[in-house]
Amino acid sequence: MRVFEQLRATHGAVAPVLLTGDLPGWLVLGYREILEVLRTPSRFTHDSRIWNQLRENRVPQDSPMLPVIAWRPDCRFADGEEHQRLRDAINESMGRFDRRGIRRYVTRFTHQLIDEFASDGHAELVTQFAQQLPMLVLTQLLGMPEEYGPRIVEAATELVKGSEKAVASNQYIMEVLAELVARKHTAPGPDLASWLIDHPAKLNDEEIVNHLWLALLAANENTTSLMASTLRMVLTDQRFRASLTGGHMTLPDAVEQVLWDEPPTIVIPARWATGDTELAEHSIRAGDILVLGVGAGNVDSVVRPDLNTPMHGNRSHLAFGGGPHECPGRDVARAIADTAIDTLLMRLPDAQLSVLEDELSWRSSSWTRHLMALPVQFAPRRVDPASVAHSRRSIAVRPGPDSTPVEVAGTTQSPPVPPRRPRRSWWHSVKRRLLRS
């Protein structure tokens, strides 16, 4: 963020930058300018095929940027009528999920993860919790076997980091999703893959695979980061925690505050100028790439003259983008984050950071800045060994409004019952007071 502010002080709302591989581009830092780019696809398209560096063969085929910004047949890279066709398919298919069912589903998996470490008296909440939960939920929403989760988490992390493994990781994920779509043609279920196959927009298999890729990558990485950042704020910022526990702020408010202060994706890739144009008094050439510094835009003095002013209930941040391409999974991400953290705080209300705050470390890439570890300690809880053993078995439950058995690999299984919650805590009391008020 200091670099963003230095660039803003030197260049204004738009700064010339070099991207990975010394490729020239523009970093948009101003809140208004980011919205201008997001809301005018006629000037700034999502179609990366017009990128002048790509047309001039200056982008290596093994560039770690390509898995993220290379053109794909999905709604992210389309505009106009084609974008509307694809966007309707993803919006209407995701809209078929029962939101209360998803929250019950998140709660179930959260209890199972906590059961794994509750008796230890300590945990590392990034790798043992925040990195695990979103993918456990997403594999089921997409209709994938749960055992795929750990390997896909690893591959998705390498891809978003832009590491030397990014290209191979992307290929692995695409192969898994292609196998999933082929399987769903003959064995459909109540999941996103099956609903996209059956949607009236008649997406072909390539389009379906790429939309599943988009849902998987964006939702997992962003939700993991959002959960970790919110937990860090609760554990380290006394004013933040006091507002939360004192009833001045609800947990959804806390999540929204983090989306303002620490958006999961700090730089959104990317848009390309459809013709020669100007933005914030900078001359942009046709085919130039623009990346959107939403982390900087969210703290722009134009919209936040005083950064200490709480942004409770204000959803006008840029964390989920904006305009016609605003993230379609934003409500699912919020549901996963606030339900999971709420459950964790009820189970472990005495959790405290077990290292000094300045000992925490971060991982940064072109697009993200994520907490690497969040070690905590708490009084050990007694957990039923049978519950822990049960949580380690593969569970194939689909989110929905009922708890009817589901068919898995030729056998019928009933959804697992979450373990009994511990004695009611201060967190439960706070929530009860808020409801009464």
Side-chain angles (χ1 to χ4, degrees):
M1 296 300 291
R2 284 193 296 269
V3 173
F4 289 161
E5 293 310 311
Q6 290 168 2
L7 289 171
R8 198 198 311 265
T10 303
H11 301 283
V14 178
V17 294
L18 292 176
L19 303 175
T20 302
D22 288 341
L23 299 171
W26 299 96
L27 175 63
V28 187
L29 301 162
Y31 182 91
R32 290 173 177 169
E33 289 73 17
I34 291 174
L35 284 180
E36 182 178 349
V37 173
L38 289 171
R39 291 173 175 174
T40 53
S42 59
R43 291 173 60 206
F44 304 103
T45 180
H46 225 318
D47 190 340
S48 61
R49 292 173 294 186
I50 73 167
W51 188 11
N52 47 30
Q53 300 298 305
L54 193 64
R55 288 183 168 184
E56 295 166 9
N57 296 317
R58 297 183 181 181
V59 184
Q61 291 300 306
D62 61 350
S63 168
M65 291 180 63
L66 286 179
V68 176
I69 66 174
W71 183 88
R72 295 169 178 269
D74 64 36
C75 62
R76 193 166 49 117
F77 291 101
D79 291 311
E81 292 183 3
E82 180 64 3
H83 172 262
Q84 195 62 54
R85 178 182 77 90
L86 298 171
R87 181 68 182 230
D88 285 348
I90 192 74
N91 281 350
E92 291 168 12
S93 296
M94 292 188 68
R96 294 180 65 175
F97 287 117
D98 175 65
R99 292 296 186 266
R100 288 176 295 180
I102 290 178
R103 289 182 181 275
R104 289 195 296 270
Y105 198 61
V106 173
T107 300
R108 181 181 299 123
F109 275 121
T110 298
H111 280 300
Q112 291 167 359
L113 288 172
I114 295 172
D115 283 347
E116 292 283 334
F117 55 73
S119 61
D120 298 335
H122 60 86
E124 198 287 282
L125 293 182
V126 174
T127 56
Q128 289 184 273
F129 186 64
Q131 280 185 357
Q132 303 301 320
L133 181 66
M135 192 60 77
L136 283 172
V137 176
L138 288 167
T139 52
Q140 300 303 308
L141 297 182
L142 270 63
M144 303 172 67
E146 183 191 338
E147 58 266 24
Y148 281 29
R151 176 68 182 92
I152 292 182
V153 168
E154 179 184 350
T157 300
E158 296 296 332
L159 196 159
V160 176
K161 281 167 57 178
S163 72
E164 66 279 1
K165 299 179 181 179
V167 174
S169 296
N170 182 63
Q171 182 178 354
Y172 167 78
I173 294 173
M174 293 296 287
E175 290 173 353
V176 168
L177 293 175
E179 293 172 0
L180 171 67
V181 172
R183 191 164 60 249
K184 289 298 176 179
H185 274 291
T186 57
D191 52 63
L192 185 59
S194 301
W195 293 333
L196 286 175
I197 290 172
D198 290 338
H199 193 272
K202 297 191 180 302
L203 277 63
N204 61 42
D205 282 4
E206 185 181 14
E207 291 171 335
I208 294 169
V209 166
N210 279 279
H211 281 92
L212 294 177
W213 179 96
L214 179 60
L216 194 69
L217 267 292
N220 176 67
E221 185 75 8
N222 288 333
T223 308
T224 291
S225 180
L226 177 59
M227 289 172 57
S229 293
T230 305
L231 285 167
R232 183 190 69 82
M233 292 287 283
V234 171
L235 293 168
T236 62
D237 190 323
Q238 294 302 317
R239 290 177 301 175
F240 194 88
R241 188 159 187 168
S243 294
L244 194 61
T245 58
H248 302 295
M249 173 171 56
T250 66
L251 192 55
D253 285 337
V255 169
E256 224 61 42
Q257 184 72 45
V258 170
L259 287 168
W260 274 101
D261 296 336
E262 295 183 14
T265 300
I266 57 174
V267 177
I268 294 179
R271 300 294 192 277
W272 289 265
T274 58
D276 293 345
T277 187
E278 284 196 0
L279 185 66
E281 300 183 353
H282 288 273
S283 296
I284 313 294
R285 294 185 304 128
D288 278 0
I289 185 174
L290 299 93
V291 292
L292 311 180
V294 296
N298 276 354
V299 296
D300 191 339
S301 60
V302 169
V303 291
R304 294 183 69 185
D306 182 2
L307 295 180
N308 292 318
T309 300
M311 304 300 284
H312 305 168
N314 188 331
R315 291 191 171 189
S316 59
H317 52 73
L318 302 168
F320 295 118
H325 288 273
E326 187 173 12
C327 175
R330 56 194 180 277
D331 290 335
V332 173
R334 287 184 174 107
I336 293 175
D338 65 52
T339 302
I341 294 171
D342 185 24
T343 305
L344 177 74
L345 293 175
M346 284 193 292
R347 287 285 301 271
L348 305 174
D350 58 334
Q352 297 181 349
L353 198 65
S354 58
V355 299
L356 296 177
E357 183 179 357
D358 58 12
E359 294 179 35
L360 297 175
S361 57
W362 303 79
R363 165 175 63 81
S364 297
S365 72
S366 297
W367 323 118
T368 62
R369 179 177 181 268
H370 288 182
L371 192 64
M372 291 183 64
L374 192 64
V376 296
Q377 58 190 14
F378 46 84
R381 266 66 173 176
R382 184 176 180 180
V383 179
D384 184 358
S387 177
V388 176
H390 186 268
S391 72
R392 292 173 179 166
R393 293 197 295 268
S394 177
I395 300 168
V397 183
R398 301 293 184 264
D402 56 43
S403 58
T404 53
V406 295
E407 195 73 12
V408 183
T411 64
T412 300
Q413 299 181 4
S414 295
V417 178
R420 187 181 354 179
R421 294 187 179 183
R423 179 177 55 86
R424 290 182 175 178
S425 65
W426 60 268
W427 183 246
H428 181 273
S429 300
V430 169
K431 288 183 66 181
R432 187 170 55 187
R433 289 198 300 273
L434 285 172
L435 289 172
R436 287 176 176 173
S437 64

